Amino acid sequence: MHNQSSRLQDRYPTCHRLMSPDSWSALTKTPEDVGESFPERIAASINSLNLPPYLGALAELEAAGYRCSQAWNHAHGSFMVGDSARRKQLNPTLAILELPWTGLIPLLDAQAPDLPDPQMARETILIWLDPLNETVRYQVADLVVLTALKIVEEGVHIGEAALAYGVPVASLHRIVDQAVTKGLILSPPSRLQRDPAFFPLGDKKNERFSRARVFTLQWHITQACDLHCRHCYDRTDRGQLTPKQAHFVLDELERFCRSRQVRAKVTFTGGNPLLYPHFDDLYLETVKRGFPVSILGNPASKQRLERLVAIQTPMVYQLSLEGLREHNDYIRQEGYFDRVMAFLPLLRELGVPSQVMLTLTRENMDQVLPLGHALRGLTDMFTFNRLSAVGQGAALLMPSPEDYQAFLRDYLRQCQTNSVLGLKDNLINIIRAENGKKPFGGCTGFGCGAAFNFLTLLSDGDVHACRKFPSPLGNIFEQGLEACYGSPAGTAYRAGSAACQGCQLFASCGGCQAVVSSLGLDPHVHRDPYCFFTGAPKHHSGVDLAP
């Protein structure tokens, strides 16, 4: 009987803790094994032993947790953990328990402070073994997590479901990703991974920057534009995609996602993407395929926006300003500043998240913070990229490294009081490191994401590592997206600069390869001349940025 009591105490530790010794002894004084039937025995003795009325339900919860732990112990060699799963699937240890009491899960924590008594009301609880840490986890099942489980268990197509129920496609992807993170859903690991030879694994601070689960295709669907900006990267006529070619691109993106075990999002740009004659049809088809969509474009009419929102609200609509009114209109077009400032409230009215981007040059650097102040309350985020002096942008000037460093420090100070200011430039991680802060994701969420979690597709099918400088990888119609990504050129851009290797910030930074290239340097060899990290490997940039 002592062994029986000990075994039951191991299975039902919380019930044991909440019972008096006499009650526990009375329930365990039996020669037969009552492990699985113990919850029923407790429920039948609630009144006679004056036990808490919820104790039978609590015992059911503990019994389910014990079975879950045993499922791991009995099948440890064949348990489909994330690294061995070939497709998304429910965790095979997952159990769903319907109980007539709420508030039971907190009682399982013996170290928890005084807790309110459970209340009589039905509650659905998920119990599963997390394969990452081999511990049993419990969660109240809400509509969000049950939707994620349904999507995977029934093979629901996310794009079609999003359109049918008017739900953002990105939200459905997000809830599935959250369930994967918790171990409720097992998923194959992403095959978008940095080369360990250049980005060593094991450094927990930077390891999260070495594998991407989401791939971004920046798709320049047309060269047509209603502006003629002085810093435009490319004004050449590349022709126009036919609808058949556009669908082929989406087919290629789906194949790439299956091959690399990732999901993708599409950013439409141009030119002005809204000038592409088949844009609405392509927008609908992209959402239907399950790809969240963003737009990088120019102001449009309310009626034009409403047609898109009726299909699906974009993840974000990004516009560009190059400074305050006078300078912006000199760079872009007379009256463009006021057009953007009038368009931003329209985006907010229609529930479209917005972002404003600036290309930073020597002439507009002192206007960034005043413009950020003017944009407060008008947009969700304002940030900047440094000029890549290619195309027509070659005629513009870049600031000196010293002035730019001073600007970055001032910008980060202003971020503390202006929430609209966003972080993008990889070099900001230098200042964060100086202040003992964790690195942020930089330009693409993974430092320089050129040819890693990000590719650019032009309207003639040419694929580039980054749009801001010539970085050709092939042509999607000739080689296919997977071959372009895996090309020797793609591998070289993913490796970044040899001068950065060994730097503790390499995984989250890597400088800007576009800036390096535009200054006549080799992005595979030279470090970003604007880098001011004292802990970086010593390397002379070989370029004079003085006026």
Side-chain angles (χ1 to χ4, degrees), residues 157-468:
H157 193 287
I158 284 181
E160 294 175 356
L163 290 171
Y165 296 102
V167 180
V169 66
S171 297
L172 296 182
H173 282 299
R174 190 177 303 115
I175 64 174
V176 172
D177 286 348
Q178 290 169 349
V180 169
T181 300
K182 293 178 178 179
L184 279 162
I185 293 170
L186 304 183
S187 177
S190 163
R191 292 183 58 239
L192 292 189
Q193 184 173 354
R194 299 281 196 186
D195 187 339
F198 304 114
F199 299 84
L201 301 178
D203 181 352
K204 296 301 181 183
K205 185 170 64 173
N206 287 313
E207 191 168 336
R208 68 187 179 95
F209 300 113
S210 296
R211 177 177 282 175
R213 291 168 57 182
V214 180
F215 171 78
T216 299
L217 182 68
Q218 186 184 79
W219 190 355
H220 293 253
I221 57 175
T222 181
Q223 293 290 89
C225 189
D226 45 338
L227 303 178
H228 200 293
C229 302
R230 293 178 183 268
H231 63 332
C232 184
Y233 300 129
D234 184 2
R235 294 293 294 183
T236 60
D237 181 10
R238 292 179 175 268
Q240 195 123 267
L241 288 167
T242 67
K244 183 177 180 180
Q245 288 175 315
H247 282 226
F248 175 83
V249 168
L250 295 177
D251 291 341
E252 278 294 294
L253 187 55
E254 287 185 322
R255 281 190 283 268
F256 180 84
C257 289
R258 287 193 297 270
S259 169
R260 295 286 171 165
Q261 296 293 354
V262 294
R263 64 180 180 88
K265 57 183 180 181
V266 174
T267 297
F268 284 120
T269 184
N272 182 352
L274 299 187
L275 296 181
Y276 177 61
H278 313 289
F279 183 76
D280 287 18
D281 292 338
L282 180 55
Y283 185 88
L284 171 61
E285 183 63 24
T286 304
V287 174
K288 189 181 294 184
R289 303 283 187 110
F291 301 130
V293 176
S294 297
I295 296 174
L296 275 60
N298 300 334
S301 68
K302 183 176 183 179
Q303 294 75 18
R304 187 74 184 86
L305 272 181
E306 287 175 333
R307 293 207 304 270
L308 296 178
V309 170
I311 298 171
Q312 174 102 153
T313 300
M315 286 184 65
V316 67
Y317 197 114
Q318 180 179 300
L319 302 115
S320 293
L321 287 174
E322 308 310 331
L324 299 175
R325 180 180 288 103
E326 182 179 356
H327 182 76
N328 174 82
D329 290 359
Y330 167 75
I331 294 292
R332 287 193 166 266
Q333 186 184 80
E334 185 70 29
Y336 189 75
F337 183 90
D338 290 335
R339 285 179 60 197
V340 171
M341 297 299 276
F343 185 63
L344 290 170
L346 175 60
L347 290 171
R348 181 153 294 185
E349 175 189 337
L350 296 179
V352 180
S354 69
Q355 180 172 316
V356 175
M357 177 65 67
L358 174 143
T359 298
L360 186 140
T361 66
R362 185 177 303 182
E363 287 74 21
N364 69 3
M365 189 167 66
D366 63 347
Q367 299 181 41
V368 172
L369 292 174
L371 179 58
H373 180 77
L375 289 170
R376 295 178 73 164
L378 290 177
T379 185
D380 297 292
M381 187 170 76
F382 167 59
T383 189
F384 61 89
N385 273 322
R386 278 176 285 158
L387 170 74
S388 173
V390 299
Q392 295 188 3
L396 303 180
L397 297 176
M398 302 172 71
S400 70
E402 296 75 20
D403 288 345
Y404 185 64
Q405 179 187 163
F407 162 77
L408 276 188
R409 295 184 184 281
D410 193 20
Y411 184 88
L412 283 185
R413 285 190 292 269
Q414 293 294 320
C415 285
Q416 299 175 18
T417 57
N418 187 353
S419 60
V420 78
L421 300 180
L423 304 183
K424 188 171 178 68
D425 194 308
N426 296 332
L427 300 186
I428 289 172
N429 274 318
I430 300 173
I431 303 173
R432 292 179 66 87
E434 292 173 353
N435 296 328
K437 294 184 177 181
K438 293 181 179 180
F440 82 111
C443 185
T444 68
F446 294 84
C448 180
F452 173 49
N453 68 318
F454 175 94
L455 285 179
T456 289
L457 174 65
L458 304 184
S459 61
D460 58 1
D462 281 352
V463 179
H464 287 248
C466 173
R467 185 65 182 106
K468 292 173 61 182

